[in-house]
Amino acid sequence: MTPSADPNLRRRPRQARAQERVERILDTAEQVFAEMGFGAATTNQIAQQAGTSIGSLYEFFPNKEALARALADRYIARIAPVYDTLLVDEPSLLGSDLITRIVESLDQYFREHPGAVPVLNGRLTSPELAAAGERLQSALVAGIDRLLAVRRPDVAAEHRVTVAAVIAEVTRSMLVMADQVPLSRRRVVVRETERMIIGYLTETIGDPPPSVASPRVKAPSKRS
């Protein structure tokens, strides 16, 4: 979603300079939320670190809740290509191989977007972040469900969505832990996450029957 189309904005930036300022404010908000948490962060601090005035921030965002919602929408837009890559470029992955790629892809995604975890965590503890966090969580679950639907059409849709939700939630929780250990230990936590989910997946849906062939997936069409 482009800044000019973002419903969380108080005013749409019409010039490139204003759009760059909005992106800078969002980049800074992500950094501050990641470092301090949503509760401790303030719009004054975000404006100062973004190199803009508080009035300029409020010109576009009425409060930090709007910043969080705009960030959630940006995260949702940026997670879609992660799933598209797994669908199109690696269509034959099944079972443990698929889980390994999902967890590794989400680990990389969360490292590249450090503010995503505070937004996700906030849906459980902060009324102000509930809507933004739920939208992002729903996008994570929908993407995993999409991957499972293509590869495991033998699994009932309702059960598959539940499995996708468990995978998304366990991955989020474990990657929060990974953020709290030395970088040298992060890979260990990621591998343990993969082992945990692989065991769960094996227990709950088992191996695919022989009739389930490796899917061939076309690249998603681009819509203007």
Side-chain angles (χ1 to χ4, degrees):
M1 182 177 293
T2 61
S4 59
D6 194 332
N8 299 298
L9 288 170
R10 171 176 276 169
R11 180 178 74 80
R12 296 181 178 183
R14 301 188 180 279
Q15 298 180 348
R17 214 171 143 187
Q19 289 182 355
E20 290 173 1
R21 189 185 316 153
V22 166
E23 289 297 331
R24 188 168 68 251
I25 290 170
L26 286 175
D27 289 341
T28 305
E30 175 179 46
Q31 179 182 355
V32 173
F33 290 164
E35 291 175 353
M36 302 187 60
F38 178 80
T42 67
T43 50
N44 279 320
Q45 184 177 25
I46 292 169
Q48 182 178 12
Q49 291 193 23
T52 191
S53 67
I54 187 64
S56 182
L57 184 150
Y58 284 142
E59 181 182 358
F60 298 105
F61 297 99
N63 47 48
K64 68 177 182 178
E65 289 80 9
L67 282 167
R69 289 193 299 270
L71 278 174
D73 288 341
R74 192 162 75 165
Y75 294 144
I76 291 169
R78 292 178 179 179
I79 192 65
V82 175
Y83 298 126
D84 290 342
T85 297
L86 290 174
L87 277 170
V88 177
D89 295 347
E90 302 181 85
S92 62
L93 290 178
L94 288 169
S96 61
D97 291 334
L98 176 61
I99 294 303
T100 296
R101 289 295 292 117
I102 289 174
V103 174
E104 289 179 348
S105 296
L106 290 178
D107 177 46
Q108 180 178 350
Y109 174 81
F110 286 139
R111 282 188 282 114
E112 293 174 351
H113 304 87
V117 169
V119 171
L120 283 169
N121 290 346
R123 84 186 200 283
L124 305 173
T125 59
S126 169
E128 295 84 4
L129 277 182
E134 284 298 337
R135 282 206 310 277
L136 180 53
Q137 178 72 2
S138 295
L140 294 175
V141 173
I144 296 172
D145 177 58
R146 183 176 164 219
L147 294 174
L148 293 176
V150 170
R151 290 169 171 83
R152 295 299 306 269
D154 56 305
V155 178
E158 184 176 359
H159 182 45
R160 194 185 61 236
V161 171
T162 300
V163 170
V166 170
I167 292 174
E169 189 62 20
V170 169
T171 302
R172 178 201 64 81
S173 299
M174 292 299 288
L175 294 181
V176 168
M177 179 191 297
D179 280 338
Q180 299 171 355
V181 301
L183 188 59
S184 60
R185 295 281 299 167
R186 185 180 183 97
R187 183 58 190 161
V188 175
V189 176
V190 172
R191 288 298 298 273
E192 289 302 304
T193 304
E194 294 166 5
R195 288 179 57 192
M196 186 187 316
I197 296 174
I198 288 168
Y200 163 73
L201 195 68
T202 301
E203 177 69 24
T204 190
I205 65 175
D207 295 327
S211 59
V212 178
S214 298
R216 294 180 178 272
V217 182
K218 294 182 180 179
S221 59
K222 295 182 179 180
R223 298 180 181 179
S224 57

